[in-house]
């Protein structure tokens, strides 16, 4: 994984790669280059077998403030035509798909504010850890837009229809503790513990049965859009794969030998 990005910090610690969006002066709002770099880094992480868990976070006091509104707004839309917005969104959609289809766990570590499309990128990750000073804002309606970056898909699936509509229509802040209560994040922790908790979770996942994790993601995400029989068929297909992995063999052997398993991700 290259590390010489302009708007990202990339750090690999064992099998965990932490990708930090790094435009703190604008609360890590997305410009074109940061979006391009993040997509590239995520694609590399997806294919790199030495990486078994990905952490996405923001530098400074925010996770991200959405699209950089000085770089893309109504002025640019007027100049270039409204259809250019959907063309621009396709670049975000690629990032959403890369994160969603990543065959290993992706954690969004949210400290401070996550607004607009930055929030929705966090929703495309598998797990979310928040600090107790975090704030979540589906900010789009504040500026006359609709949730993009997959927010219309992930938000109701995570928090239910009523809360998703409330967040999108009212565009009010949801606090970290409230986000945990409604299932928007998996865990909200005191700011002082945020890095340690995120690190421990990432290391735990990186030491787990990576191939099974990828298959768990596939089964779980595909079940959202399939009927029971289709999901049961897929379950059989994926368990056929899981049962041939070295990690499955190691897991059973470790259980029988009454010792912790040492998974290699194979
Ligand atoms: C920013 C931004 C920002 C630039 C803070 N841009 N500078 C839309 C359009 C087209 C296509 C693609 O998709 C999208 C999707 C979207 O994401 S739309 C939603 C865009 N995001 C927003 O509407 C959120 C805008 N930001 C805010 O409402 C506030 O900044 C929040 C609530 C996030 C944080 O508030 P505060 O903690 O009070 O911080 P602040 O407002 O003072 O911001 C700090 C600096 O960051 C400030 O610059 P300055 O030079 O005054 O220190 C802001 O201008 C800058 N900044 N968000 N999106």
């Amino acid at each position: 994984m290259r590390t010489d990005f302009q708007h990202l910090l990339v750090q690999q610690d064992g099998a965990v790669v932490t990708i930090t969006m790094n435009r703190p002066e604008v609360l890590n709002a997305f410009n074109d280059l940061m979006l391009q770099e993040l997509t590239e880094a995520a694609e590399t992480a997806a294919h790199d077998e030495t990486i078994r868990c990905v952490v996405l976070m923001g530098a400074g006091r925010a996770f991200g403030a959405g699209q950089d509104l000085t770089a893309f707004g109504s002025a640019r839309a007027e100049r270039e035509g409204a259809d250019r917005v959907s063309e621009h969104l396709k670049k975000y959609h690629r990032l959403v798909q890369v994160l969603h289809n990543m065959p290993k766990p992706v954690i969004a570590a949210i400290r401070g504010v996550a607004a607009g499309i930055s929030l929705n990128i966090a929703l495309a990750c598998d797990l979310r850890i928040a600090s107790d000073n975090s704030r979540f804002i589906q900010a789009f309606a504040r500026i006359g837009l609709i949730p993009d970056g997959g927010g219309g898909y992930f938000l109701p699936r995570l928090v239910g229809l009523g809360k998703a509509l409330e967040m999108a229509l009212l565009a009010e802040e949801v606090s970290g503790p409230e986000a945990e209560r409604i299932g928007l994040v998996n865990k909200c922790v005191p700011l002082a513990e945020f890095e340690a908790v995120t690190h421990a979770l990432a290391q735990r996942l990186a030491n787990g049965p990576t191939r099974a994790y990828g298959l768990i993601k596939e089964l779980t995400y595909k079940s959202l859009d399939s009927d029971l029989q289709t999901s049961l068929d897929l379950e059989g297909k994926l368990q056929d794969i899981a049962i041939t992995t070295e990690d499955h063999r190691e897991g059973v052997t470790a259980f029988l030998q009454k010792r912790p398993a040492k998974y290699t991700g194979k």
Side-chain angles (χ1 to χ4, degrees):
M1 165 90 71
R2 78 177 174 99
T3 54
D4 59 336
F5 294 102
Q6 195 172 322
H7 296 314
L8 298 181
L9 302 171
V10 174
Q11 193 188 10
Q12 189 166 346
D13 174 13
V16 175
V17 73
T18 301
I19 303 173
T20 304
M21 297 176 281
N22 189 28
R23 302 187 73 223
E25 66 285 0
V26 288
L27 307 183
N28 307 312
F30 277 97
N31 64 5
D32 288 357
L33 182 59
M34 192 173 89
L35 174 58
Q36 187 189 314
E37 290 185 338
L38 181 55
T39 307
E40 180 194 321
E43 277 171 342
T44 306
H47 293 114
D48 185 337
E49 288 187 2
T50 69
I51 294 170
R52 294 167 63 194
C53 179
V54 178
V55 178
L56 176 62
M57 57 187 295
R61 70 174 177 94
F63 178 80
Q67 169 69 40
D68 187 322
L69 293 172
T70 64
F72 205 107
S74 53
R76 180 161 157 184
E78 274 163 29
R79 202 167 60 240
E80 301 185 2
D83 60 340
R84 302 287 293 181
V85 177
S86 58
E87 282 308 308
H88 182 60
L89 282 177
K90 284 183 187 162
K91 296 180 203 156
Y92 281 107
H93 296 168
R94 188 162 142 220
L95 172 61
V96 167
Q97 291 283 11
V98 174
L99 294 170
H100 187 62
N101 296 324
M102 179 101 53
K104 57 196 81 172
V106 186
I107 302 168
I110 302 143
R111 178 179 46 194
V113 71
I117 205 160
S118 301
L119 168 56
N120 292 337
I121 295 301
L123 303 187
C125 299
D126 306 311
L127 296 173
R128 279 156 292 283
I129 301 290
S131 60
D132 58 1
N133 70 336
S134 59
R135 301 180 280 156
F136 299 84
I137 316 170
Q138 273 298 45
F140 304 88
R142 289 186 180 181
I143 55 170
L145 294 179
I146 64 165
D148 54 23
Y153 179 89
F154 290 112
L155 191 60
R157 284 166 166 80
L158 282 164
V159 302
L161 191 57
K163 270 286 166 197
L165 282 168
E166 181 185 319
M167 283 184 70
L169 292 172
L170 303 184
E172 286 173 355
E173 282 187 17
V174 171
S175 69
E178 172 74 353
E180 182 186 270
R181 203 184 59 76
I182 65 175
L184 185 63
V185 303
N186 300 87
K187 211 171 177 49
C188 174
V189 298
L191 181 59
E193 293 167 25
F194 174 74
E195 284 192 16
V197 169
T198 303
H199 180 76
L201 178 65
Q203 288 296 342
R204 174 182 166 174
L205 289 168
N207 289 324
T210 309
R211 292 195 57 204
Y213 287 160
L215 300 171
I216 288 168
K217 284 181 63 168
E218 185 177 344
L219 179 63
T220 309
Y221 287 137
K222 285 193 173 154
S223 81
L224 294 175
D225 303 309
S226 60
D227 59 27
L228 175 61
Q229 191 55 52
T230 308
S231 186
L232 292 173
D233 290 344
L234 182 64
E235 166 194 295
K237 218 176 102 194
L238 299 182
Q239 197 72 296
D240 275 346
I241 299 170
I243 212 155
T244 64
T245 61
E246 286 178 23
D247 281 343
H248 166 60
R249 212 173 318 134
E250 163 63 8
V252 174
T253 306
F255 173 75
L256 295 175
Q257 295 176 351
K258 299 190 187 303
R259 61 167 174 83
K262 267 182 78 80
Y263 293 118
T264 59
K266 299 200 171 72

